[in-house]
């Protein structure tokens, strides 16, 4: 079963993803950290699917699809921003300030 | 044996993830992330989710991460100074990691019964099987030889509409990416 | 046993519905086709005629019925809250029947008169819409079976009065007069409301019939509750019927068109107070203190207003003060316990005062046309500009003379019988409470003054030499038949109105008294009035007649003895005459004591202090500034730095998780 250890691993990986978001300024690396968090959640879905039914695995499938779509759009946005500011450093991207 | 492999893969995943968020070079970050995903794929197999494991390798490690690497190389990143933040950010990141992790472990004790009592909806929901009513599928998933069959039956019967909507989402994402990335349309 | 049919009585709702229809039609026409005067005249007077016919049929049927209590027609349940149930229902009894006839009958005649009087007015359709609406509300007031429904009519006639006083609202003075009437009446209305509340809490009913039933058993006669109720009711009457100290609005109300003065401010609306006292006669009979106050205020007003009338030159102002004075007589009547006499005087007064107003309207109409033809800017209502009009308007003169004799109390005109009955009743009550002798005396002096100022009015207007001006004299002529015909009818009624309640000494049977007996029966248990008989009665009557004649002769001679100077050259009044001319400076006194302090308070404290600084400054602008400050603070968070957003987001996540897992 390994339900408990899998969930613990999921929590650890998610926390690492969060820490990464806080630690990095590079937009692409930030994206990768988000992918890491999504993976952590996927892991807990799969682990719980053993107990509560295949709905968990289906959900993982959808998460992956959404992650792919998100990566495509997000990277396109980063490309557009890079073209504009010649940088992917988030410190240089602050046109949305109030 | 299974447990040993699991712990091995888990340790590898954690180490890769830590390296992923601390490497200065984006390319090495991306490669360490790929490593994490492979480890996770192995764990999925151990958790009786062979289909997802294959998918993980094909879609995540194969397609999405290649896209990442492609963009990193396209933008020619990695030659400039490190993008890792300073000491305060490290402290903050460590603190959040610990707090959030602790909270997730606290979820362990957060039972459906507790949730039910919080919602004042009585004891009927307290039973985990009642809370996740799809226990027929759980029984089916327990037969390893039929895992693919059970998954596809579920995907194309119970979840057909979300599945189709997902295809629309992908189409929209593809068009959106083209529109955003192209210089002039 | 076959069901008793009651003939025309169940159709009583028509009397209200028809004028309402007229109001709707005329109101619509006033908005979309104001020039359609022919249709407006037909509808406006037609509905009143129809209403009057229905009323006559109803009353004829009522003569044959032997009803115990009023005949009630319930249309729907209006207010139902717990035990409080108020129906939208009409109650017909002998008292409301009398009022029904007066309102629809006199109302119809005045509508006809208005067709001629308002012919040239651009607001013709609007005028008739208002008049019809007034009749609707007046009938609601009269027929309402409960105090709240009566109050709807009470407020409604106030509204119509306001609308019609300010009918020519282009002039500020007219609009101000309308406002004055409305605001002064509010004081009285507050009294009626309080009376209603006390009635509900003490005897749990607001239905007139049930009040008459329960009050004798559930309330202590002469006790504090019934005294309070009647005092508050009387406060309403004081406002509506223009008694001291709230009479000031009525003379100003003459700013409205003359038919309005005749209908609303003489014949019908202002008598609502008298009607209300008569309607709640049981309560007043049970509260001797209140009744005495009613009679006292009435007597004081009768005398006081009559003195002011002595020195007014505006023909309508004289009549206005005369109305106030005559209303005072009615209150002497109902306050004395002679409810029949009060109602009797109400009816005869409706006849002769409507006649006087319409006659004066006829005169003003002629004067106005004469001045209009020569483009002179003189006052068409000032009696100093009239004189000798009997040569040009013989019909009006003859009819006005009848009305003058009636109001002065000369036999056999109608006013003689009613006024005499009131004074006789006051005298009779004097045996019980000597203070009523005083009221009787005041009434007698008032009668003398009434005869004097009415004779003065008649003399200044119609007798002597004409002072209008030579050029204008050619244009003076009698009003058209549509205006004169109602005058003739009213003249006949003023002449013969006494027949309604002929006393025994001229061979009558007190017809009205017999008719109204069922209504005032309950009051008799509490106050029995023994009217004077034989030589005392004849002596009283003889004295009254002598006084009336003295007043009339003095009025004519006193006016003719000196030549009258036209208004624009007239010297200022001197001495006490000046005080009278300025109406005892009561308006100025009210201005100084009440209006100015309130205006000052409103301006300095409420407007500048409360509204501008507290409400505007603190609440309105303050909340805006607070929101702007909060917005500024919030905008500081929007750094545009994704890192900051992530941190805030995480703080939120940790916080929510922490609170869930607690």
């Amino acid at each position: 079963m390994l339900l408990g250890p899998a969930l613990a691993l999921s929590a650890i990986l998610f926390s690492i993803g969060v820490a990464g978001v806080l630690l990095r300024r590079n937009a692409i690396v930030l994206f990768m950290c988000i992918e890491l968090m999504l993976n952590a959640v996927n892991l807990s879905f799969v682990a719980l699917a053993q107990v509560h039914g295949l709905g968990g695995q289906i959900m993982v499938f959808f998460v992956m699809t959404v992650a792919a779509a998100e990566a495509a759009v997000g990277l396109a946005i980063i490309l557009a921003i890079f073209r504009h500011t010649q940088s992917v450093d988030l410190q240089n991207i602050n046109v949305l300030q109030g | 044996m299974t447990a040993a492999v699991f712990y091995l893969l888990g340790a590898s995943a954690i180490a890769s993830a830590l390296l992923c968020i601390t490497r200065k070079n984006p390319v090495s970050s991306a490669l360490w992330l790929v490593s994490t995903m492979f480890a996770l794929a192995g764990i999925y197999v151990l958790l009786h989710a062979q289909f997802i494991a294959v998918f993980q390798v094909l879609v995540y490690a194969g397609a999405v991460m290649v896209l990442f690497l492609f963009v990193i190389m396209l933008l020619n990143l990695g030659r400039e100074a490190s993008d890792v933040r300073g000491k305060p950010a490290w402290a903050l990141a460590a603190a959040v990691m610990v707090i959030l992790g602790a909270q997730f472990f606290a979820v362990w004790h957060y039972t459906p019964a507790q949730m039910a009592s919080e919602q004042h909806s009585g004891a009927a929901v307290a039973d985990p099987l009642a809370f996740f009513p799809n226990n027929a599928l759980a029984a089916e998933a327990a037969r390893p030889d039929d895992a693919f069959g059970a998954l596809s039956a579920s995907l194309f019967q119970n979840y057909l509409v979300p599945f189709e909507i997902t295809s629309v989402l992908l189409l929209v994402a593809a068009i959106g990416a083209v529109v955003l990335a192209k210089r002039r349309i | 046993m076959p069901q008793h049919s009651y003939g025309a009585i169940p159709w009583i709702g028509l009397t209200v519905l028809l004028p309402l229809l007229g109001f709707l039609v005329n109101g619509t026409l006033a908005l979309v086709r104001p020039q359609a005067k022919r249709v407006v005249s037909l509808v406006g007077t037609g509905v009143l005629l129809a209403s009057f016919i229905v009323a006559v049929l109803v009353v004829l049927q009522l003569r044959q019925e032997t009803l115990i209590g009023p005949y009630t027609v319930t249309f729907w349940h209006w207010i139902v809250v717990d035990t409080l149930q108020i129906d939208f229902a009409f109650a017909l009894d002998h008292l409301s029947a009398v009022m029904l006839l007066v309102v629809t009958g006199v109302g119809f005649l005045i509508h006809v008169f208005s067709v001629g009087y308002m012919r040239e007015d651009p607001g013709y359709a609007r005028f008739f819409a208002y008049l019809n609406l007034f009749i609707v509300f007046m009938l609601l007031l009269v027929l309402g079976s409960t105090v709240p429904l009566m109050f709807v009519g009470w407020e409604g006639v106030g509204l119509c009065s306001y609308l019609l006083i300010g009918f020519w609202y282009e002039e500020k003075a007219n609009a101000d007069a309308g406002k004055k009437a409305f605001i002064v009446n509010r004081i009285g209305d507050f009294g009626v409301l309080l009376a209603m509340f006390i009635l509900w809490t003490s005897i749990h009913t607001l239905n007139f019939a049930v009040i008459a039933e329960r009050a004798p058993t559930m309330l202590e006669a002469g006790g504090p509750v019934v005294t309070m109720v009647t005092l508050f009711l009387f406060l309403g009457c004081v406002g509506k019927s223009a008694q001291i100290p709230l009479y000031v609005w009525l003379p100003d109300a003459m700013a409205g068109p003359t038919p309005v003065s005749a209908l609303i401010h003489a014949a019908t609306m202002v008598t609502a107070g008298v009607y209300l006292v008569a309607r709640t006669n049981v309560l007043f009979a049970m509260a001797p203190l209140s009744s005495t106050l009613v009679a006292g205020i009435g007597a004081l007003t009768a005398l006081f207003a009559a003195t002011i009338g002595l020195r007014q030159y505006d023909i309508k102002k004289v009549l206005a003060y005369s109305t106030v004075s005559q209303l005072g007589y009615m209150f002497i009547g109902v306050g004395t316990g002679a409810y029949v006499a009060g109602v009797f005087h109400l009816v005869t007064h409706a006849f002769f005062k409507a006649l006087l107003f319409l006659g004066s309207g006829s005169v003003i109409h002629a004067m106005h046309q004469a001045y209009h033809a020569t483009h002179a800017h003189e006052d068409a209502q000032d009696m100093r500009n009239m004189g000798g009009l009997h040569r040009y308007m013989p019909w009006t003169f003859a009819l006005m003379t009848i009305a003058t004799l009636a109001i002065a109390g000369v036999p056999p005109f109608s006013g003689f019988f009613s006024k005499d009955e009131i004074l006789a009743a006051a005298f009779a009550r004097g045996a019980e409470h000597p203070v009523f002798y005083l009221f009787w005396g005041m009434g007698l002096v008032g009668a003398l003054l009434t005869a004097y100022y009415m004779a003065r009015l008649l003399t200044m207007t119609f007798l002597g030499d004409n002072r209008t001006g030579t050029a204008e004299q050619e244009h003076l002529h009698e009003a058209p038949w549509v205006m004169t015909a109602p005058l003739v009818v009213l003249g006949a009624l003023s002449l013969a109105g006494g027949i309604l309640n002929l006393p025994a000494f001229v061979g009558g049977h007190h017809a009205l008294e017999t008719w109204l007996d069922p209504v005032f029966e309950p009051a008799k248990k509490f106050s029995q009035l023994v009217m004077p008989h034989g030589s005392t009665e004849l002596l009283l009557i003889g004295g009254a007649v002598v006084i009336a004649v003295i007043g009339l002769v003095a009025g004519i001679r006193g006016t003719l003895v000196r030549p009258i100077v036209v208004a624009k050259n007239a010297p200022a009044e001197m001495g006490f005459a000046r005080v009278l001319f300025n109406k005892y400076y009561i308006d100025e006194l009210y201005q100084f004591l009440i209006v100015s302090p309130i205006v000052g308070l409103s301006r300095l404290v409420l407007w500048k202090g409360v509204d501008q600084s507290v409400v505007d400054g603190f609440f309105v602008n303050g909340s805006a500034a607070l929101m702007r400050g909060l917005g500024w603070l919030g905008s500081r968070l929007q750094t545009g730095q994704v890192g900051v957003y992530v941190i805030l987001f995480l703080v939120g996540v940790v916080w929510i998780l922490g609170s869930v897992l607690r």
Side-chain angles (χ1 to χ4, degrees):
Chain A
M1 281 288 274
L2 293 169
L3 179 62
L7 288 176
L9 180 61
S10 162
I12 291 167
L13 286 178
F14 191 91
S15 305
I16 292 172
V18 171
V21 169
L22 288 173
L23 215 54
R24 306 299 290 256
R25 292 199 311 253
N26 189 323
I28 295 180
V29 179
L30 226 67
F31 252 99
M32 291 196 280
C33 294
I34 291 168
E35 297 294 335
L36 186 57
M37 284 191 267
L38 286 173
N39 268 292
V41 173
N42 281 353
L43 177 57
S44 62
F45 269 128
V46 170
L48 286 166
Q50 303 175 95
V51 189
H52 295 301
L54 282 177
Q57 291 193 21
I58 304 286
M59 202 53 67
V60 171
F61 177 79
F62 289 132
V63 170
M64 281 185 183
T65 326
V66 172
E70 175 231 331
V73 177
L75 288 171
I77 291 174
I78 289 172
L79 262 178
I81 291 173
F82 185 80
R83 228 177 265 144
H84 190 69
T85 61
Q86 292 300 312
S87 162
V88 289
D89 195 323
L90 289 176
Q91 267 180 341
N92 301 332
I93 306 168
N94 57 356
V95 285
L96 277 180
Q97 72 177 340
Chain B
M1 173 65 192
T2 315
V5 175
F6 176 87
Y7 287 118
L8 198 65
L9 287 172
S12 139
I14 292 172
S16 308
L18 282 172
L19 285 166
C20 165
I21 65 165
T22 47
R23 290 297 89 190
K24 287 177 190 132
N25 192 328
V27 176
S28 39
S29 280
L31 289 175
W32 282 119
L33 187 58
V34 172
S35 157
T36 312
M37 285 171 176
F38 272 118
L40 281 176
I43 289 174
Y44 290 161
V45 174
L46 296 181
L47 296 178
H48 309 289
Q50 297 87 344
F51 175 69
I52 300 292
V54 173
F55 227 65
Q56 172 91 354
V57 174
L58 282 180
V59 175
Y60 255 127
V64 174
M65 290 320 295
V66 166
L67 185 62
F68 270 90
L69 281 169
F70 184 74
V71 172
I72 293 168
M73 307 226 170
L74 182 74
L75 300 183
N76 202 12
L77 299 173
R79 291 172 203 280
E80 48 208 274
S82 164
D83 71 308
V84 180
R85 292 176 199 260
K87 283 228 172 60
W90 278 87
L92 186 69
V96 168
M97 214 173 102
V98 170
I99 295 173
L100 213 55
Q103 286 185 331
F104 286 140
F105 278 95
V107 175
W108 210 285
H109 305 289
Y110 189 71
T111 61
Q114 198 176 340
M115 188 176 186
S117 76
E118 274 173 20
Q119 289 177 341
H120 300 288
S121 50
V125 196
D127 180 14
L129 288 178
F131 202 72
F132 298 98
N134 216 352
N135 51 356
L137 270 170
E140 246 182 297
R143 296 180 303 176
D145 52 357
D146 204 20
F148 275 113
L151 188 67
S152 14
S154 177
L155 188 59
F156 293 109
Q157 287 168 3
N158 294 23
Y159 294 92
L160 185 62
V161 175
F163 179 75
E164 294 297 339
I165 292 174
T166 313
S167 62
V168 177
L169 176 73
L170 282 171
L171 180 65
V172 171
I175 296 172
V178 170
V179 169
L180 283 166
K182 206 157 161 51
R183 246 174 251 269
R184 300 184 64 190
I185 301 168
Chain C
M1 187 180 137
Q3 188 94 35
H4 191 64
S5 75
Y6 289 109
I9 295 181
W11 295 95
I12 191 162
L14 275 184
T15 55
V16 178
L17 195 63
L18 285 165
L20 184 64
L21 221 64
F23 161 68
L24 293 176
V25 171
N26 285 337
T28 316
L29 284 174
L31 293 175
V32 296
R33 262 183 80 83
Q35 68 274 27
K37 295 189 176 178
R38 187 178 294 270
V39 184
V40 170
S41 327
L42 277 178
V43 173
T45 54
V47 290
L48 255 284
L49 182 60
S51 182
F52 177 62
I53 291 170
V54 174
V56 169
L57 291 176
V58 164
V59 175
L60 284 180
Q61 183 68 31
L62 185 65
R63 271 169 68 96
Q64 298 164 9
E65 305 289 345
T66 44
L67 284 173
I68 303 164
Y71 182 90
T72 309
V73 188
T74 306
F75 296 97
W76 63 82
H77 301 308
W78 180 31
I79 299 172
V80 183
V81 181
D82 199 20
T83 55
L84 170 71
Q85 177 173 343
I86 297 167
D87 292 344
F88 194 95
F90 291 165
L92 180 77
D93 63 359
H94 295 81
L95 177 60
S96 51
V98 171
M99 290 298 286
L100 187 64
L101 284 181
V102 170
V103 172
T104 52
V106 177
F108 168 66
L109 293 173
I110 292 171
H111 274 65
V112 172
F113 180 87
S114 306
V115 171
Y117 190 82
M118 300 297 287
R119 190 192 301 277
E120 307 297 330
D121 200 279
Y124 191 78
R126 184 164 59 98
F127 181 78
F128 272 91
Y130 289 167
L131 275 194
N132 283 342
L133 185 64
F134 169 77
I135 298 288
V136 171
F137 281 125
M138 191 66 206
L139 291 179
L140 272 188
L141 194 166
V142 169
L143 292 173
S145 70
T146 56
V147 189
L149 187 57
M150 181 225 70
F151 195 60
V152 170
W154 184 275
E155 290 298 307
V157 291
L159 166 72
C160 293
S161 160
Y162 161 77
L163 289 172
L164 284 163
I165 293 168
F167 183 72
W168 291 311
Y169 53 82
E170 293 91 344
E171 264 180 58
K172 189 169 182 300
N174 297 347
D176 283 349
K179 277 189 278 182
K180 186 173 180 182
F182 206 71
I183 292 167
V184 172
N185 265 303
R186 288 285 76 67
I187 302 171
D189 297 342
F190 145 85
V192 179
L193 279 174
L194 285 184
M196 258 194 262
F197 300 153
I198 300 174
L199 270 180
W200 172 251
T201 49
S202 57
I203 60 176
H204 309 294
T205 182
L206 291 173
N207 187 311
F208 284 118
V210 185
I211 288 173
E213 216 171 87
R214 288 190 189 167
T217 50
M218 291 178 70
L219 293 177
E220 177 200 352
V225 176
V226 76
T227 307
M228 263 207 314
V229 169
T230 46
L231 283 181
F232 280 129
L233 279 178
F234 183 57
L235 181 60
C237 302
V238 164
K240 196 56 94 188
S241 295
Q243 298 295 293
I244 290 174
L246 298 181
Y247 71 93
V248 287
W249 65 272
L250 187 56
D252 284 28
M254 296 302 129
T258 308
V260 172
S261 312
L263 177 60
I264 300 183
H265 306 123
T268 52
M269 184 188 85
V270 288
T271 60
V274 183
Y275 171 76
L276 181 58
V277 177
R279 170 58 69 216
T280 52
N281 56 76
V282 186
L283 297 177
F284 278 91
M286 287 171 70
L289 188 69
S290 306
S291 284
T292 311
L293 185 78
V294 170
I297 292 279
L300 194 63
T301 312
L303 184 60
F304 182 79
T307 57
I308 299 178
L310 294 176
R311 270 295 163 191
Q312 295 301 310
Y313 290 105
D314 187 317
I315 185 167
K316 284 179 73 181
K317 282 276 162 69
V318 178
L319 292 177
Y321 282 106
S322 158
T323 305
V324 176
S325 167
Q326 295 300 311
L327 288 166
Y329 280 105
M330 294 177 210
F331 278 111
I332 300 178
V334 290
T336 309
Y339 299 105
V340 178
V343 174
F344 184 30
H345 196 57
L346 187 162
V347 174
T348 58
H349 175 257
F351 295 154
F352 60 68
K353 190 48 70 65
L355 175 54
L356 281 171
F357 265 113
L358 293 188
S360 79
S362 210
V363 169
I364 293 165
H365 186 68
M367 292 288 292
H368 185 75
Q369 286 201 328
Y371 281 136
H372 192 69
T374 60
H375 303 289
H377 294 285
E378 298 293 333
D379 191 349
Q381 301 192 7
D382 198 309
M383 293 191 295
R384 286 171 294 198
N385 295 340
M386 300 175 185
L389 289 181
H390 73 96
R391 284 190 290 277
Y392 309 98
M393 324 179 70
W395 278 97
T396 311
F397 171 61
L399 293 161
M400 286 283 271
T401 311
I402 293 176
T404 303
L405 293 175
I407 194 174
V410 176
F413 296 94
S414 58
F416 160 72
F417 293 104
S418 52
K419 192 190 282 187
D420 174 66
E421 206 171 311
I422 288 172
L423 291 178
F427 186 81
R429 182 68 79 193
E432 208 176 310
H433 301 288
V435 73
F436 278 87
Y437 282 129
L438 177 67
F439 300 158
W440 170 75
M442 287 159 83
L444 217 53
V445 179
L448 175 72
L449 298 176
T450 306
Y452 181 90
Y453 68 68
M454 284 315 298
R456 171 174 171 272
L457 181 144
L458 201 67
T459 313
M460 284 183 88
T461 311
F462 290 100
L463 303 180
D465 300 324
N466 184 268
R467 299 176 293 275
T468 312
T470 40
E472 284 82 0
Q473 280 173 7
E474 293 173 22
H475 300 283
L476 287 171
H477 54 78
E478 186 65 82
W481 67 266
V482 72
M483 290 165 70
T484 322
L487 291 187
V488 174
V489 178
L490 283 172
L493 289 171
S494 306
L495 184 60
I499 291 175
L500 282 179
N501 199 23
L502 274 187
F505 68 89
V506 288
H509 305 289
H510 293 282
L512 190 67
E513 191 154 354
T514 320
W515 171 259
L516 288 175
D517 198 46
V519 182
F520 299 125
E521 182 66 40
K524 288 203 177 135
K525 273 182 267 170
F526 297 96
S527 83
Q528 195 59 254
L529 196 63
V530 186
M531 293 296 274
H533 279 291
S535 58
T536 322
E537 185 184 16
L538 289 176
L539 203 65
L540 284 173
I541 290 163
V545 173
V546 168
I547 274 180
V549 172
I550 290 174
L552 284 173
V553 173
I556 296 171
R557 292 189 60 107
T559 313
L560 283 178
V561 71
R562 254 175 285 119
I564 299 164
V565 190
V566 290
K568 61 180 170 189
N569 301 330
E573 304 277 338
M574 298 304 288
F576 190 59
R578 185 171 180 151
V579 176
L580 287 181
F581 179 72
N582 287 309
K583 312 153 212 162
Y584 293 103
Y585 298 99
I586 293 287
D587 278 332
E588 285 77 2
L589 187 72
Y590 283 3
Q591 179 77 30
F592 177 74
L593 281 183
I594 299 167
V595 180
S596 298
I598 290 179
V599 169
L601 183 79
S602 310
R603 191 162 292 180
L604 288 176
V605 178
L606 294 179
W607 173 31
K608 297 239 165 93
V610 175
D611 193 49
Q612 282 198 335
S613 60
V614 177
V615 175
D616 279 3
F618 183 73
F619 286 106
V620 178
N621 294 337
S623 56
L626 180 71
M627 285 305 130
R628 185 187 299 162
L630 286 177
W632 182 85
L633 275 181
S635 81
R636 291 307 91 199
L637 289 172
Q638 303 292 325
T639 56
Q641 288 290 340
V642 179
V644 178
Y645 296 157
V646 169
I647 290 169
L648 290 174
F649 171 69
L650 282 173
V651 167
V653 169
V654 169
W655 184 20
I656 290 172
L657 270 178
S659 65
V660 168
L661 297 171
R662 183 158 29 88

